Amino acid sequence: MRKLLVILLIGTVWLAKAQNHTGYPFMVVPDKFDFLEEKDEYNMNSLAKFLLEKRGFATFFASDDKPMEYNLDECGVLKFNLTKEKTFINTKVKITITDCTGKVIAESYGTTKEKKYERAYNLAMREAFEVLYIPQREEVAKELLISETVEMVVEKTPEFLYAQPTAQGYKLIDYQDNEVYTLFKTSKPDQFIISNKDINGALYKSGDIWVLEYLSKDNQIIKESLKIKF
């Protein structure tokens, strides 16, 4: 009987892990939610842990001893929290998931008209779980990379470019009649979309200077000044 139980437990753990495709293996649940008075009051913390484990996370209470794997992948750990929202009639709760940097990567809400606290919190949190989407680790990393884009101003001594009208805007040529950029008109006379084989960006006037702005391959905002004769 014990051997069968062990096999069933292993099978349950394996199935749970197979269902977690986020790239975050671990989740931490607080021992007590701030809006409640006691540790694991109404079994809310235990319920959160249970629902997260159903999603395939290796879930621990904050006070639990953690395995070695947990400490080796600190940014594979997400933190779960539940808060109560202010409402006049319904009971409304909010789930918040944060990553190792403290950034909120997922939120969801659940509401119920149930009056008894124990049942109301239970129902509201279950509803919040139903709509909770936790993004994949790669998605979060990509968003972080974009948000950390660095602005770089490139100092150059530009040569004059000459604007020749086209149906869509202008083409900018150098003194050797080589086409350097193509300009496309916008709704504003001093703003253009600019492109060539290497970049796509914006061209706009700042005072008496034309500024070319575009995003480099390593996610830096590049600004260059251009001298243009229209």
Side-chain angles (χ1 to χ4, degrees):
M1 182 67 181
R2 174 179 288 183
K3 185 179 293 186
L4 178 59
L5 180 60
V6 170
I7 292 172
L8 288 173
L9 286 173
I10 291 173
T12 302
V13 171
W14 180 88
L15 180 60
K17 287 183 178 179
Q19 293 170 345
N20 179 7
H21 303 295
T22 65
Y24 296 99
F26 304 109
M27 187 77 71
V28 174
V29 175
D31 296 88
K32 172 185 172 298
F33 296 126
D34 288 343
F35 68 94
L36 296 175
E37 295 181 359
E38 299 177 6
K39 178 179 177 181
D40 201 17
E41 191 169 3
Y42 305 127
N43 295 314
M44 290 298 291
N45 303 75
S46 294
L47 176 60
K49 184 174 183 292
F50 168 74
L51 294 173
L52 288 165
E53 287 172 345
K54 282 186 68 176
R55 286 195 171 208
F57 292 97
T59 309
F60 304 93
F61 289 124
S63 61
D64 287 344
D65 292 331
K66 312 297 191 301
M68 183 184 299
E69 293 86 350
Y70 176 100
N71 297 316
L72 292 175
D73 187 13
E74 292 184 358
C75 282
V77 180
L78 297 178
K79 291 185 177 180
F80 176 96
N81 195 28
L82 187 75
T83 54
K84 183 180 179 182
E85 300 291 290
K86 291 183 179 180
T87 56
F88 290 105
I89 301 174
N90 299 337
T91 296
K92 183 177 182 181
V93 298
K94 175 184 177 183
I95 291 175
T96 305
I97 306 291
T98 53
D99 66 10
C100 64
T101 68
K103 178 184 177 182
V104 175
I105 65 166
E107 292 179 340
S108 66
Y109 296 87
T111 60
T112 180
K113 294 181 180 179
E114 174 67 42
K115 300 301 181 185
K116 293 183 178 180
Y117 282 139
E118 181 173 4
R119 181 165 170 75
Y121 293 145
N122 186 302
L123 290 173
M125 183 165 69
R126 285 179 180 275
E127 182 179 277
F129 259 95
E130 289 178 3
V131 295
L132 177 64
Y133 169 71
I134 301 175
Q136 292 188 5
R137 200 167 176 176
E138 291 180 358
E139 292 179 50
V140 177
K142 190 180 294 183
E143 288 180 7
L144 182 62
L145 181 63
I146 293 172
S147 68
E148 291 180 348
T149 296
V150 178
E151 182 173 296
M152 177 183 292
V153 177
V154 178
E155 297 293 339
K156 290 185 177 180
T157 303
E159 299 177 351
F160 271 108
L161 297 175
Y162 302 88
Q164 291 185 351
T166 65
Q168 296 81 20
Y170 298 91
K171 61 179 180 179
L172 299 183
I173 61 173
D174 61 17
Y175 71 99
Q176 293 181 322
D177 287 336
N178 296 314
E179 184 175 340
V180 182
Y181 297 107
T182 302
L183 301 185
F184 299 93
K185 294 177 183 177
T186 68
S187 59
K188 296 184 178 180
D190 58 353
Q191 294 183 10
F192 296 91
I193 297 170
I194 186 169
S195 68
N196 62 14
K197 63 182 179 64
D198 297 315
I199 68 163
N200 289 292
L203 180 73
Y204 57 89
K205 204 165 188 180
S206 178
D208 295 326
I209 300 172
W210 286 98
V211 179
L212 164 63
E213 185 171 324
Y214 62 94
L215 192 66
S216 70
K217 292 180 180 178
D218 57 351
N219 284 318
Q220 291 184 324
I221 296 176
I222 308 297
K223 290 184 178 181
E224 299 179 15
S225 57
L226 299 181
K227 290 182 179 179
I228 303 173
K229 285 189 176 181
F230 285 91

